[in-house]
Each structure stands twice: as C-alpha cells, then as structure tokens.
Amino acid sequence: MPNIYGYIRVSTKEQNEDRQLIALRAMDIPEKNIYMGKQSGKDFNRPQYKKLIKKLRPEDLLYIKSIDRLGRNYEEIQSQWKLLTKERRVDIVVLDMPLLDTRRGKDLVGTFLSDVVLQVLSFVAENERVNIRQRQAEGIAAAKARGVRFGRPPRPLPENYRSAYQRWKAGAITGTAAAKECGMPLSTFRYRAEIYEKAKLP
C-alpha cells in the first residue's frame, strides 16, 4: 500500500508552522509521516527534507500546503517537482492549488495542464520573494532617512572616556594608550571618537 506523507517548511526558526500543520493533519496523514524543516528555502541541504526523500517510494502520496514549500525560486521548485514526480515517481497534492494534484489527469492533456500551472505558480512564488525583499529594503531605507537606527544601541561610554579622548586629541597620549585606559579595542575607541565628535559634545 502506498504511504501518505506531508512536508512543512518555515523559513526561520521564529516562524510558526501551525497553519501548515493544521492543513496537513486534516488529510489524515500519520504524525510520524509529517516532516518539518525550519531552515531557509535557499537550498535543500536540509536534514528533514533529505529524510523524507529517502523514505518516498513509487506511488506514495506527498501533501504540501503551497508550492513555495518546495523552494523559493523558479528553478529550485521545478527541479524538486521533477525529482519527486519523475525520479521518485510519487504523487504530489498542493493544498492551496487543487489543480496541482498529480493523481488526476495523468493523460497528455492533464500532464500538460499541471506543467503549465506549476510553471506559473513557480514564477509567482519567486516573484513574490523578490518583491518582499525589495519592499523590505525600501522600508529600511525609508526608516533610516527618518533617523531610525537599527541594531543594538551602543554601550554607554566609560566615565573616563572624555578625559582620555581630550588628552589623545591634544597629543598627550597615543590612541592605543587612550583605548587601554577606557578598556576597549583601539578600533572601537576611534569609532566612538567619530561619533563623539559628530555629536559635538563639550
């Protein structure tokens, strides 16, 4: 008897997989046959995906929530679809797109329609990824233009920084000596000095 499997991918360890998990459980997939990866779709060097591939046998059935779970770009999605359906000879059902159900229409017309839908959806998945990255970049640029700072706030300067800085600027001590007095690397001392000067502190 063919086995039924499910595959879940979330892009980062912070993302929640509940939406995909609920959809797959509704298909009565045995819990032990649901494989979940929490890595980026940038490549397929993923332990859970590899374990799943090794388990699959001809005529097994694989459920995924959406086509972009197989990858985040057009070529990768196409490649994995071919691997699963042609080399492993398993059936795939994409729950978000009922037309992508390889159990149906195995004749020439059905295969052609599935291939067309797959190509369109693969393109859409990659295009959406590109758009998201562009929107993120534009959002960050706009925030920086408004003066929003990203990353951790700098540590407060040590109490003796002003004194060490002034003596360094006056040539009384070297930058290395000043940095040592402040308990910081020379590169950090000079970096904080630039910020100190720009802030026009007395």
Side-chain angles (χ1 to χ4, degrees):
M1 288 288 292
N3 290 309
I4 303 175
Y5 293 91
Y7 179 66
I8 293 170
R9 176 179 67 79
V10 288
S11 299
T12 67
K13 292 182 180 180
E14 285 75 31
Q15 287 184 341
N16 194 299
E17 67 277 1
D18 288 350
R19 186 177 66 90
Q20 296 177 64
L21 193 55
I22 290 169
L24 294 183
R25 282 174 174 165
M27 298 296 106
D28 293 325
I29 303 169
E31 201 72 23
K32 64 183 179 67
N33 286 357
I34 297 178
Y35 289 77
M36 177 165 45
K38 288 194 174 185
Q39 293 87 14
S40 167
K42 184 178 179 180
D43 58 59
F44 278 80
N45 295 320
R46 296 176 284 173
Q48 290 301 308
Y49 187 76
K50 285 184 174 181
K51 285 182 182 179
L52 171 63
I53 294 296
K54 288 180 179 178
K55 282 277 186 181
L56 293 171
R57 297 292 179 266
E59 298 185 11
D60 282 348
L61 176 60
L62 174 64
Y63 284 97
I64 56 175
K65 183 73 170 71
S66 56
I67 194 64
D68 60 354
R69 299 306 85 195
L70 290 181
R72 294 191 301 174
N73 65 64
Y74 181 89
E75 289 184 0
E76 198 63 68
I77 292 172
Q78 296 284 326
S79 172
Q80 295 306 311
W81 186 273
K82 182 180 179 181
L83 168 68
L84 293 165
T85 60
K86 306 298 183 185
E87 296 180 27
R88 292 291 176 175
R89 292 184 289 130
V90 302
D91 281 314
I92 303 178
V93 175
V94 181
L95 296 175
D96 281 355
M97 180 53 62
L99 283 173
L100 284 179
D101 182 344
T102 60
R103 298 172 300 176
R104 303 173 183 171
K106 290 185 179 286
D107 58 6
L108 184 61
V109 174
T111 302
F112 172 75
L113 289 174
S114 290
D115 286 346
V116 170
V117 173
L118 173 65
Q119 290 185 39
V120 170
L121 290 179
S122 301
F123 171 79
V124 169
E126 180 172 3
N127 194 53
E128 178 59 19
R129 178 175 172 243
V130 170
N131 287 340
I132 288 172
R133 292 181 67 181
Q134 183 177 341
R135 288 195 293 268
Q136 287 174 338
E138 290 172 351
I140 291 171
K144 285 182 176 179
R146 295 194 306 270
V148 176
R149 293 187 177 185
F150 294 87
R152 291 181 296 180
R155 291 181 180 180
L157 291 172
E159 291 182 4
N160 65 334
Y161 185 87
R162 181 180 176 184
S163 171
Y165 167 81
Q166 289 177 336
R167 284 184 289 124
W168 168 65
K169 290 297 284 187
I173 58 174
T174 65
T176 301
K180 188 175 181 181
E181 280 187 24
C182 296
M184 60 178 61
L186 178 59
S187 59
T188 303
F189 178 85
R190 286 179 172 168
Y191 171 72
R192 298 301 295 270
E194 289 180 13
I195 299 174
Y196 188 84
E197 290 163 3
K198 287 178 182 176
K200 297 181 180 179
L201 295 176

